[in-house]
Amino acid sequence: MEFKKSPDGGWGWVIVLVSFFTQFLCYGSPLAVGVLYIEWLDAFGEGKGKTAWVGSLASGVGLLASSSVGLFIYAALQRLLIEFYGLDGCLLIVGALALNILACGSLMRPLQPSDCPLPEKTALESAPDRYSIYSEKEKDLEENTNILGKSYSAEETCKSTFGSGGRKQESLLHKSPTTMAHSKETETYKKKVAEQTYFCKQLAKRKWQLYKNYCGETVALFKNKVFLALFIAIFLFDIGGFPPSLLMEDVARSSNVKEEELIMPLISIIGIMTAVGKLLLGILADFKWINTLYLYVATLIIMGLALCAIPFAKSYVTLAILSGILGFLTGNWSIFPYVTTKTVGIEKLAHAYGILMFFAGLGNSLGPPIVGWFYDWTQTYDIAFYFSGFCVLLGGFILLLAALPSWHTCSRLLPKPAPTTFLYKVTSNV
């Protein structure tokens, strides 16, 4: 067996390792902020809804694209740091750890082979020909030059009128070599300004065309019923499914669970089971006999039921079990890109996925404060998690109805109206 030498000398593995630590450092602490959430409640004495904004915004911006291992480790680490150094010391140490992102980022550099020359910079003069995508006539360029020439000549006329010299002196100046050189420089300057004006016009038209195309593609995406249902499902999923990862520690305290019973932080359980869920759900999605869209719908429905069961959990064991179930089902993020691809196609994946992720982050930011406000209003988490479960269940059932084959079959079997026919009687002239 022959082993071929890696073209990058093995540097790709460095990028993989650095990417892992970047995800670990970037998102481990924001997702494990549920441990800090309790301390913030005690330190600032604000309501749960208002305090939840801190963690929800931190996680909503970064979304759930992080390393689940970071969530698992940071939850336990932050608890230990709070016990030894307090809340302020914990935040300082976590911030210092985050600075290692700079070191990781410095390693993510492209390797340039020594035998290949560095690419040359593009000259400014070639920019209009390189980026213009509209085939317009050269008269635009000539028009710009003529306009500049007229304005420049008018300016020179005004200067000559108010000048101190006569016509003879002016004619002598025009014939001097300095004046001739000046006129050439002026012509060159006018030509360059005209070229740049032409380039700016073309670039503005190109941007406007791209914007129109983007809006048209977005409208076309939302005409797809399954994509529209997926959009609603992911938004409702993040509103209802994300709060447990932030509020589970406070749920345990509200259920009178003693700290001695907390063998492992509930957030750590969610984190490690999320990693397991991503792996196993990804494996299941590879089986040809499993419909990935229905698999994703199943995770939403089961998660909705698990969220509705949280108010009935009054012990650490039951909360730990529910945290494990919720963490495992949150691993459906690993199959979400594949579901999106199956819905819109590989050509529109980047556009559709960007829209979905934006509103998923919005749902992440809104979910915990809404649940916290429910607690501030009722002084219990029961109605809050019923609301969370209802949101996730509603999104799951909407996506299920949109994805059912009978839905498309019925739309195809609808009777089409018969075309209207007109009969004309031609009279004879005989």
Side-chain angles (χ1 to χ4, degrees):
M1 182 182 295
E2 295 182 359
F3 294 95
K4 294 183 179 179
K5 185 179 179 181
S6 177
D8 58 3
W11 188 256
W13 289 107
V14 176
I15 299 299
V16 171
L17 184 63
V18 167
S19 299
F20 170 79
F21 279 108
T22 301
Q23 297 287 320
F24 177 88
L25 295 169
C26 280
Y27 303 115
S29 178
L31 288 181
V33 79
V35 176
L36 303 175
Y37 175 72
I38 298 177
E39 302 297 326
W40 286 330
L41 287 173
D42 297 337
F44 300 105
E46 296 288 346
K48 297 182 186 294
K50 192 173 182 179
T51 308
W53 276 110
V54 181
S56 67
L57 288 175
S59 301
V61 173
L63 210 58
L64 293 177
S66 61
S67 171
S68 302
V69 179
L71 170 58
F72 172 72
I73 295 178
Y74 261 100
L77 176 63
Q78 288 178 165
R79 173 172 288 185
L80 289 175
L81 292 175
I82 290 173
E83 291 179 0
F84 284 104
Y85 304 105
L87 177 60
D88 294 341
C90 172
L91 293 175
L92 286 173
I93 295 174
V94 170
L97 288 174
L99 290 176
N100 290 285
I101 299 172
L102 298 176
C104 295
S106 65
L107 296 174
M108 293 186 178
R109 56 183 178 83
L111 295 180
Q112 184 67 37
S114 58
D115 55 345
C116 294
L118 293 174
E120 297 181 356
K121 294 184 179 180
T122 306
L124 180 62
E125 288 77 9
S126 63
D129 296 333
R130 184 177 183 85
Y131 292 101
S132 297
I133 60 173
Y134 300 94
S135 56
E136 293 190 357
K137 297 180 180 179
E138 292 296 329
K139 66 177 183 180
D140 293 342
L141 187 59
E142 295 176 2
E143 288 175 359
N144 293 331
T145 307
N146 293 334
I147 292 172
L148 286 171
K150 290 179 181 178
S151 62
Y152 184 81
S153 61
E155 184 179 353
E156 289 295 323
T157 303
C158 294
K159 287 182 180 179
S160 62
T161 303
F162 294 100
S164 59
R167 291 184 179 179
K168 294 181 180 179
Q169 193 176 5
E170 184 179 343
S171 61
L172 291 174
L173 287 173
H174 279 292
K175 295 179 181 179
S176 63
T178 306
T179 307
M180 294 295 292
H182 177 67
S183 62
K184 288 183 179 180
E185 291 178 359
T186 303
E187 291 296 330
T188 305
Y189 171 76
K190 288 191 293 182
K191 187 175 181 180
K192 285 187 176 181
V193 172
E195 288 178 353
Q196 292 176 2
T197 305
Y198 178 75
F199 167 64
C200 291
K201 280 176 57 179
Q202 299 301 316
L203 188 61
K205 289 182 179 180
R206 179 172 180 253
K207 293 295 183 183
W208 174 248
Q209 188 65 35
L210 291 175
Y211 175 75
K212 288 174 61 178
N213 292 341
Y214 179 84
C215 293
E217 291 174 2
T218 303
V219 173
L221 282 174
F222 280 99
K223 288 182 179 179
N224 184 339
K225 295 178 181 178
V226 180
F227 176 78
L228 180 60
L230 188 63
F231 168 81
I232 297 173
I234 191 64
F235 181 67
L236 293 176
F237 166 73
D238 280 278
I239 287 180
F242 177 68
S245 62
L246 178 63
L247 307 174
M248 211 61 178
E249 298 292 327
D250 192 54
V251 170
R253 187 170 71 169
S254 301
S255 301
N256 298 321
V257 177
K258 299 179 180 180
E259 292 187 4
E260 295 79 12
E261 299 178 10
L262 297 175
I263 303 172
M264 180 184 296
L266 296 174
I267 305 246
S268 295
I269 296 175
I270 292 176
I272 197 64
M273 290 305 296
T274 300
V276 175
K278 288 180 178 179
L279 178 63
L280 294 183
L281 290 174
I283 293 174
L284 289 176
D286 287 335
F287 290 105
K288 295 182 179 180
W289 50 273
I290 293 182
N291 188 309
T292 312
L293 183 57
Y294 291 156
L295 176 63
Y296 184 77
V297 170
T299 61
L300 295 181
I301 294 176
I302 298 173
M303 174 174 274
L305 296 175
L307 288 169
C308 292
I310 289 179
F312 300 99
K314 301 299 180 182
S315 65
Y316 173 76
V317 175
T318 52
L319 286 174
I321 293 173
L322 288 174
S323 297
I325 295 173
L326 292 173
F328 179 86
L329 296 173
T330 305
N332 61 7
W333 281 101
S334 63
I335 63 175
F336 186 73
Y338 183 72
V339 172
T340 308
T341 306
K342 282 293 186 181
T343 303
V344 301
I346 192 66
E347 298 83 6
K348 300 179 181 179
L349 175 61
H351 186 182
Y353 198 73
I355 295 173
L356 295 174
M357 288 301 99
F358 174 81
F359 284 94
L362 181 62
N364 269 1
S365 301
L366 295 177
I370 291 174
V371 172
W373 287 330
F374 271 113
Y375 184 92
D376 295 336
W377 177 41
T378 62
Q379 294 302 309
T380 178
Y381 276 115
D382 293 356
I383 297 179
F385 280 102
Y386 289 147
F387 169 78
S388 296
F390 173 77
C391 286
V392 178
L393 282 172
L394 179 62
F397 282 115
I398 289 175
L399 184 57
L400 177 63
L401 291 176
L404 285 176
S406 57
W407 176 273
H408 304 285
T409 304
C410 292
S411 61
R412 292 193 197 103
L413 295 179
L414 286 176
K416 296 182 179 180
T420 306
T421 57
F422 299 94
L423 299 177
Y424 296 94
K425 183 177 181 181
V426 181
T427 58
S428 178
N429 294 328
V430 182

